[in-house]
Amino acid sequence: MATPTTGPFGVLPTAPYDPPVPPHAAGTDVVQRSVRDFPETGPAVGFAVAGTVLHDSEDLIVMMTVPGSEMAGRGGPRSGPNGRLVAPGDWDGSYELSAWRGSTVVRAHRPGEPWSIWRWHDGTDWTPRWYGNLEAPWRRTPLGYDMQDWALDVVAEGDPATDDWRVAMKDEDELAWFVDNGTATREIAERITEVGATVRGIFERREGLVGADWGAFVPPDDAGLVTFPEGWQELRP
């Protein structure tokens, strides 16, 4: 299956940098942004989360977000499915700032793959929660990483090394809703669903990052919360 270059919201609206942005050093504070082309405004940041780089190379990027770190999402009426702010025309142009809650999340991404794998660490051990986020492959920026969230996700619970391992899909209704209201074509939705099936298979077979040793990516005890850099919401012209 070919890796899709588009998601429900078209191509990632920011072009790659030339020359490319080099890998970020471990310990660098960054912001990860989901970027899309909105009917209200044109290309813009949809949501953003601050974090810290744990590893960045040509083969693997890993970042963490500790509780209290800054987050932002669009403001406006939530007329999408289950009260989500996803309907065309909902965004009023503002952002609602908040903070990451719960346990520290660690996101791992292999450049070029249209997904990332998430795990949570409670300060003592990894929790049994896993997540496969479907998205456009990450692009390095001077501020961190840009991607585009594709709505559909894979969730898993338990220990992948045992029979206590459950895998399921998430937000299939949201992807279907995008097709029904014309935000995404059926062809694109079918390709995203194929990617979802690929990621689900990786989880079910305990392959790739799901079966990898995450010992090197345990959040350090002295990890602090991260705030947004100045200009976090601005896209390069």
Side-chain angles (χ1 to χ4, degrees), residues 10-204:
V11 297
L12 191 65
T14 54
Y17 285 81
D18 185 18
V21 176
H24 297 291
T28 301
D29 291 340
V30 295
V31 57
Q32 185 182 53
R33 311 182 300 183
S34 177
V35 180
R36 56 177 281 196
D37 197 353
F38 293 96
E40 309 96 309
T41 64
V45 176
F47 66 84
V49 58
T52 303
V53 176
L54 293 176
H55 177 89
D56 189 347
S57 68
E58 296 305 317
D59 300 319
L60 180 67
I61 302 171
V62 185
M63 66 172 287
M64 68 175 181
T65 298
V66 305
S69 294
E70 203 160 16
M71 297 177 57
R74 292 170 292 143
R78 298 178 178 274
S79 60
N82 298 319
R84 300 170 190 153
L85 199 158
V86 293
D90 264 5
W91 185 27
D92 62 16
S94 69
Y95 289 98
E96 298 174 354
L97 298 179
S98 59
W100 186 263
R101 295 183 294 177
S103 299
T104 296
V105 64
V106 177
R107 302 175 181 86
H109 171 73
R110 296 196 185 280
E113 290 182 341
W115 64 78
S116 59
I117 306 298
W118 301 11
R119 294 191 70 181
W120 283 259
H121 198 281
D122 62 12
T124 301
D125 203 353
W126 296 105
T127 75
R129 183 183 177 195
W130 293 70
Y131 202 87
N133 198 66
L134 274 62
E135 60 203 10
W138 296 11
R139 289 181 180 166
R140 292 186 187 89
T141 76
L143 298 181
Y145 311 98
D146 282 355
M147 54 82 166
Q148 184 186 91
D149 188 87
W150 287 350
L152 191 63
D153 305 297
V154 177
V155 292
E157 190 85 14
D159 183 346
T162 71
D163 291 335
D164 181 27
W165 182 238
R166 300 292 180 269
V167 181
M169 302 301 298
K170 178 179 178 290
D171 293 336
E172 293 165 298
D173 62 328
E174 187 170 317
L175 185 60
W177 186 85
F178 285 135
V179 173
D180 291 342
N181 72 22
T183 303
T185 66
R186 290 195 181 278
E187 180 184 14
I188 289 297
E190 288 171 358
R191 294 171 70 193
I192 298 305
T193 300
E194 290 176 1
V195 175
T198 297
V199 178
R200 180 169 186 166
I202 289 171
F203 272 80
E204 291 175 339

